[in-house]
Amino acid sequence: VCDPKLIGTVVLDRATAAEPLDLFVLFSSLAAWHGLAGGADYAYACAAQDRFAEARAGRVAAGERAGRTVAVAWPQWEYDEFLTPDKRGELGELGLAPLDAAGGVTLLEAALASGESSVAVIVGDPVRVRALASAEPPQVPPEAAGDEFDAMSDDDLRAYLDYLRAEPPAPSR
């Protein structure tokens, strides 16, 4: 779960480091801001993408990278295969609604125009959404923003990924 989001983000940034990009957009999730029961790994990876966007925006300002950088923490999409009737009901109880494609395009344009490096998109009942939106997002340690990965050689990064993918040792008795 973490590899595509975290390592994919770092590798994409490295691969495009010398490119004159207009945009560098990361697709995060509201799970980064409010957690996800049973999906802590996904929530963590999305929160790390949000922090990476902040770090990358600093690199753009320093002339080390190009392209407007933003991580968009998306809500549940209308077309998501995981949007079951039960999940739709849970969202409704929180005052949330799924996002459709037209709304997604409009909100992506707003995120890009915001000037922020990390933006949460929340759709639903305005009063109830305000209460959810006022909560502080969970904090990810600065080292999760990608600096430690940038300092690694490609060989060290591969070795680290192999380590993360290895089976954990059996518990001792």
mmCIF file of all heavy atoms in Angstrom, residues 28-31 42 72-78 80 87 91 96-100 103-104 107 119-124:
data_model
loop_
_atom_site.group_PDB
_atom_site.id
_atom_site.type_symbol
_atom_site.label_atom_id
_atom_site.label_comp_id
_atom_site.label_asym_id
_atom_site.label_seq_id
_atom_site.Cartn_x
_atom_site.Cartn_y
_atom_site.Cartn_z
ATOM 1 N N SER A 28 -3.839 12.401 -3.102
ATOM 2 C CA SER A 28 -3.890 11.938 -1.729
ATOM 3 C C SER A 28 -5.342 11.573 -1.401
ATOM 4 O O SER A 28 -6.146 11.366 -2.301
ATOM 5 C CB SER A 28 -3.346 13.053 -0.824
ATOM 6 O OG SER A 28 -3.401 12.705 0.522
ATOM 7 N N SER A 29 -5.653 11.515 -0.145
ATOM 8 C CA SER A 29 -7.005 11.141 0.278
ATOM 9 C C SER A 29 -7.346 11.832 1.593
ATOM 10 O O SER A 29 -6.456 12.152 2.385
ATOM 11 C CB SER A 29 -7.073 9.619 0.474
ATOM 12 O OG SER A 29 -8.254 9.242 1.146
ATOM 13 N N LEU A 30 -8.633 12.002 1.833
ATOM 14 C CA LEU A 30 -9.069 12.536 3.125
ATOM 15 C C LEU A 30 -8.647 11.617 4.267
ATOM 16 O O LEU A 30 -8.593 12.043 5.417
ATOM 17 C CB LEU A 30 -10.591 12.716 3.151
ATOM 18 C CG LEU A 30 -11.135 13.909 2.393
ATOM 19 C CD1 LEU A 30 -12.651 13.961 2.504
ATOM 20 C CD2 LEU A 30 -10.514 15.207 2.881
ATOM 21 N N ALA A 31 -8.324 10.380 3.956
ATOM 22 C CA ALA A 31 -7.813 9.465 4.980
ATOM 23 C C ALA A 31 -6.574 10.061 5.645
ATOM 24 O O ALA A 31 -6.313 9.806 6.821
ATOM 25 C CB ALA A 31 -7.491 8.108 4.363
ATOM 26 N N TYR A 42 -2.625 3.169 4.356
ATOM 27 C CA TYR A 42 -3.046 4.063 3.279
ATOM 28 C C TYR A 42 -3.128 5.511 3.787
ATOM 29 O O TYR A 42 -2.659 6.441 3.126
ATOM 30 C CB TYR A 42 -4.396 3.608 2.724
ATOM 31 C CG TYR A 42 -4.908 4.475 1.605
ATOM 32 C CD1 TYR A 42 -4.307 4.452 0.356
ATOM 33 C CD2 TYR A 42 -5.999 5.313 1.790
ATOM 34 C CE1 TYR A 42 -4.773 5.250 -0.683
ATOM 35 C CE2 TYR A 42 -6.476 6.113 0.759
ATOM 36 C CZ TYR A 42 -5.854 6.078 -0.466
ATOM 37 O OH TYR A 42 -6.318 6.867 -1.483
ATOM 38 N N VAL A 72 -3.666 16.728 -3.473
ATOM 39 C CA VAL A 72 -5.104 16.896 -3.272
ATOM 40 C C VAL A 72 -5.614 15.684 -2.497
ATOM 41 O O VAL A 72 -5.519 14.549 -2.966
ATOM 42 C CB VAL A 72 -5.857 17.033 -4.609
ATOM 43 C CG1 VAL A 72 -7.342 17.252 -4.357
ATOM 44 C CG2 VAL A 72 -5.278 18.185 -5.433
ATOM 45 N N ALA A 73 -6.130 15.941 -1.308
ATOM 46 C CA ALA A 73 -6.709 14.885 -0.477
ATOM 47 C C ALA A 73 -8.180 14.735 -0.887
ATOM 48 O O ALA A 73 -9.037 15.511 -0.476
ATOM 49 C CB ALA A 73 -6.584 15.238 1.007
ATOM 50 N N TRP A 74 -8.418 13.767 -1.746
ATOM 51 C CA TRP A 74 -9.750 13.565 -2.314
ATOM 52 C C TRP A 74 -10.673 12.844 -1.349
ATOM 53 O O TRP A 74 -10.229 12.021 -0.546
ATOM 54 C CB TRP A 74 -9.664 12.734 -3.595
ATOM 55 C CG TRP A 74 -8.930 13.405 -4.709
ATOM 56 C CD1 TRP A 74 -7.681 13.103 -5.157
ATOM 57 C CD2 TRP A 74 -9.389 14.489 -5.516
ATOM 58 N NE1 TRP A 74 -7.330 13.931 -6.195
ATOM 59 C CE2 TRP A 74 -8.369 14.798 -6.435
ATOM 60 C CE3 TRP A 74 -10.568 15.234 -5.549
ATOM 61 C CZ2 TRP A 74 -8.489 15.804 -7.371
ATOM 62 C CZ3 TRP A 74 -10.680 16.243 -6.483
ATOM 63 C CH2 TRP A 74 -9.654 16.514 -7.380
ATOM 64 N N PRO A 75 -11.968 13.093 -1.482
ATOM 65 C CA PRO A 75 -12.953 12.315 -0.723
ATOM 66 C C PRO A 75 -13.273 11.027 -1.488
ATOM 67 O O PRO A 75 -12.618 10.712 -2.492
ATOM 68 C CB PRO A 75 -14.170 13.251 -0.712
ATOM 69 C CG PRO A 75 -14.096 13.943 -2.039
ATOM 70 C CD PRO A 75 -12.603 14.148 -2.284
ATOM 71 N N GLN A 76 -14.265 10.328 -1.036
ATOM 72 C CA GLN A 76 -14.741 9.130 -1.743
ATOM 73 C C GLN A 76 -15.292 9.549 -3.112
ATOM 74 O O GLN A 76 -16.026 10.525 -3.218
ATOM 75 C CB GLN A 76 -15.869 8.473 -0.938
ATOM 76 C CG GLN A 76 -16.375 7.180 -1.498
ATOM 77 C CD GLN A 76 -15.501 6.015 -1.084
ATOM 78 O OE1 GLN A 76 -15.084 5.940 0.039
ATOM 79 N NE2 GLN A 76 -15.239 5.130 -2.010
ATOM 80 N N TRP A 77 -14.882 8.832 -4.142
ATOM 81 C CA TRP A 77 -15.367 9.127 -5.493
ATOM 82 C C TRP A 77 -16.657 8.360 -5.768
ATOM 83 O O TRP A 77 -16.819 7.220 -5.332
ATOM 84 C CB TRP A 77 -14.316 8.746 -6.540
ATOM 85 C CG TRP A 77 -13.197 9.724 -6.610
ATOM 86 C CD1 TRP A 77 -12.062 9.717 -5.869
ATOM 87 C CD2 TRP A 77 -13.120 10.881 -7.443
ATOM 88 N NE1 TRP A 77 -11.274 10.795 -6.190
ATOM 89 C CE2 TRP A 77 -11.900 11.524 -7.162
ATOM 90 C CE3 TRP A 77 -13.959 11.438 -8.402
ATOM 91 C CZ2 TRP A 77 -11.495 12.687 -7.806
ATOM 92 C CZ3 TRP A 77 -13.558 12.593 -9.047
ATOM 93 C CH2 TRP A 77 -12.344 13.211 -8.746
ATOM 94 N N GLU A 78 -17.534 8.980 -6.511
ATOM 95 C CA GLU A 78 -18.808 8.367 -6.906
ATOM 96 C C GLU A 78 -18.583 7.049 -7.644
ATOM 97 O O GLU A 78 -19.374 6.125 -7.525
ATOM 98 C CB GLU A 78 -19.594 9.343 -7.785
ATOM 99 C CG GLU A 78 -20.944 8.838 -8.243
ATOM 100 C CD GLU A 78 -21.952 8.697 -7.110
ATOM 101 O OE1 GLU A 78 -22.025 9.607 -6.269
ATOM 102 O OE2 GLU A 78 -22.665 7.674 -7.082
ATOM 103 N N ASP A 80 -16.035 4.918 -7.362
ATOM 104 C CA ASP A 80 -15.140 3.998 -6.667
ATOM 105 C C ASP A 80 -15.827 2.652 -6.463
ATOM 106 O O ASP A 80 -16.954 2.584 -5.974
ATOM 107 C CB ASP A 80 -14.772 4.608 -5.313
ATOM 108 C CG ASP A 80 -13.702 3.846 -4.570
ATOM 109 O OD1 ASP A 80 -13.498 2.647 -4.838
ATOM 110 O OD2 ASP A 80 -13.070 4.468 -3.702
ATOM 111 N N LYS A 87 -21.306 1.899 2.683
ATOM 112 C CA LYS A 87 -20.325 2.984 2.758
ATOM 113 C C LYS A 87 -20.988 4.323 2.440
ATOM 114 O O LYS A 87 -20.722 5.332 3.100
ATOM 115 C CB LYS A 87 -19.169 2.717 1.776
ATOM 116 C CG LYS A 87 -18.124 3.788 1.745
ATOM 117 C CD LYS A 87 -17.301 3.806 3.005
ATOM 118 C CE LYS A 87 -16.163 4.800 2.858
ATOM 119 N NZ LYS A 87 -15.348 4.907 4.033
ATOM 120 N N LEU A 91 -21.102 7.577 4.944
ATOM 121 C CA LEU A 91 -20.732 8.933 4.543
ATOM 122 C C LEU A 91 -21.870 9.904 4.835
ATOM 123 O O LEU A 91 -21.650 10.998 5.353
ATOM 124 C CB LEU A 91 -20.364 8.976 3.058
ATOM 125 C CG LEU A 91 -19.079 8.266 2.646
ATOM 126 C CD1 LEU A 91 -18.961 8.248 1.123
ATOM 127 C CD2 LEU A 91 -17.869 8.922 3.275
ATOM 128 N N LEU A 96 -21.245 13.705 4.666
ATOM 129 C CA LEU A 96 -20.396 13.703 3.476
ATOM 130 C C LEU A 96 -21.123 13.096 2.288
ATOM 131 O O LEU A 96 -22.053 12.317 2.450
ATOM 132 C CB LEU A 96 -19.119 12.898 3.746
ATOM 133 C CG LEU A 96 -18.234 13.414 4.865
ATOM 134 C CD1 LEU A 96 -17.105 12.444 5.145
ATOM 135 C CD2 LEU A 96 -17.682 14.792 4.516
ATOM 136 N N ALA A 97 -20.665 13.437 1.102
ATOM 137 C CA ALA A 97 -21.209 12.890 -0.136
ATOM 138 C C ALA A 97 -20.045 12.526 -1.046
ATOM 139 O O ALA A 97 -18.982 13.148 -0.977
ATOM 140 C CB ALA A 97 -22.117 13.913 -0.823
ATOM 141 N N PRO A 98 -20.226 11.528 -1.905
ATOM 142 C CA PRO A 98 -19.153 11.196 -2.851
ATOM 143 C C PRO A 98 -19.021 12.278 -3.928
ATOM 144 O O PRO A 98 -19.951 13.041 -4.187
ATOM 145 C CB PRO A 98 -19.592 9.860 -3.447
ATOM 146 C CG PRO A 98 -21.033 9.718 -3.135
ATOM 147 C CD PRO A 98 -21.353 10.616 -1.995
ATOM 148 N N LEU A 99 -17.854 12.318 -4.542
ATOM 149 C CA LEU A 99 -17.526 13.322 -5.550
ATOM 150 C C LEU A 99 -17.672 12.721 -6.944
ATOM 151 O O LEU A 99 -17.227 11.606 -7.188
ATOM 152 C CB LEU A 99 -16.081 13.782 -5.328
ATOM 153 C CG LEU A 99 -15.504 14.824 -6.267
ATOM 154 C CD1 LEU A 99 -16.270 16.139 -6.158
ATOM 155 C CD2 LEU A 99 -14.033 15.042 -5.937
ATOM 156 N N ASP A 100 -18.286 13.481 -7.857
ATOM 157 C CA ASP A 100 -18.388 13.011 -9.242
ATOM 158 C C ASP A 100 -17.292 13.658 -10.088
ATOM 159 O O ASP A 100 -16.559 14.526 -9.630
ATOM 160 C CB ASP A 100 -19.784 13.282 -9.821
ATOM 161 C CG ASP A 100 -20.124 14.763 -9.943
ATOM 162 O OD1 ASP A 100 -19.225 15.615 -9.851
ATOM 163 O OD2 ASP A 100 -21.308 15.058 -10.149
ATOM 164 N N GLY A 103 -17.436 17.553 -10.630
ATOM 165 C CA GLY A 103 -17.034 18.235 -9.399
ATOM 166 C C GLY A 103 -15.543 18.088 -9.156
ATOM 167 O O GLY A 103 -14.880 19.019 -8.689
ATOM 168 N N GLY A 104 -14.991 16.928 -9.489
ATOM 169 C CA GLY A 104 -13.564 16.689 -9.317
ATOM 170 C C GLY A 104 -12.722 17.634 -10.153
ATOM 171 O O GLY A 104 -11.716 18.185 -9.676
ATOM 172 N N LEU A 107 -12.963 21.131 -8.644
ATOM 173 C CA LEU A 107 -12.210 21.244 -7.394
ATOM 174 C C LEU A 107 -10.710 21.111 -7.612
ATOM 175 O O LEU A 107 -9.921 21.717 -6.885
ATOM 176 C CB LEU A 107 -12.738 20.231 -6.379
ATOM 177 C CG LEU A 107 -14.154 20.567 -5.897
ATOM 178 C CD1 LEU A 107 -14.754 19.412 -5.108
ATOM 179 C CD2 LEU A 107 -14.157 21.846 -5.067
ATOM 180 N N VAL A 119 -4.171 20.321 -0.192
ATOM 181 C CA VAL A 119 -5.559 20.769 -0.135
ATOM 182 C C VAL A 119 -6.468 19.572 0.110
ATOM 183 O O VAL A 119 -6.307 18.532 -0.524
ATOM 184 C CB VAL A 119 -5.968 21.444 -1.472
ATOM 185 C CG1 VAL A 119 -7.425 21.836 -1.468
ATOM 186 C CG2 VAL A 119 -5.084 22.646 -1.758
ATOM 187 N N ALA A 120 -7.401 19.724 1.030
ATOM 188 C CA ALA A 120 -8.401 18.679 1.278
ATOM 189 C C ALA A 120 -9.698 19.076 0.590
ATOM 190 O O ALA A 120 -10.135 20.223 0.690
ATOM 191 C CB ALA A 120 -8.639 18.495 2.768
ATOM 192 N N VAL A 121 -10.284 18.134 -0.111
ATOM 193 C CA VAL A 121 -11.560 18.351 -0.791
ATOM 194 C C VAL A 121 -12.628 17.598 -0.007
ATOM 195 O O VAL A 121 -12.524 16.391 0.189
ATOM 196 C CB VAL A 121 -11.505 17.824 -2.243
ATOM 197 C CG1 VAL A 121 -12.869 17.890 -2.890
ATOM 198 C CG2 VAL A 121 -10.472 18.599 -3.051
ATOM 199 N N ILE A 122 -13.631 18.324 0.447
ATOM 200 C CA ILE A 122 -14.714 17.707 1.213
ATOM 201 C C ILE A 122 -16.027 18.117 0.584
ATOM 202 O O ILE A 122 -16.270 19.296 0.329
ATOM 203 C CB ILE A 122 -14.674 18.136 2.691
ATOM 204 C CG1 ILE A 122 -13.313 17.795 3.303
ATOM 205 C CG2 ILE A 122 -15.784 17.457 3.468
ATOM 206 C CD1 ILE A 122 -13.114 18.297 4.709
ATOM 207 N N VAL A 123 -16.879 17.141 0.325
ATOM 208 C CA VAL A 123 -18.162 17.382 -0.325
ATOM 209 C C VAL A 123 -19.274 16.890 0.601
ATOM 210 O O VAL A 123 -19.182 15.803 1.160
ATOM 211 C CB VAL A 123 -18.237 16.627 -1.672
ATOM 212 C CG1 VAL A 123 -19.571 16.861 -2.345
ATOM 213 C CG2 VAL A 123 -17.092 17.034 -2.582
ATOM 214 N N GLY A 124 -20.319 17.695 0.747
ATOM 215 C CA GLY A 124 -21.447 17.270 1.566
ATOM 216 C C GLY A 124 -22.183 18.446 2.167
ATOM 217 O O GLY A 124 -22.123 19.568 1.665
#
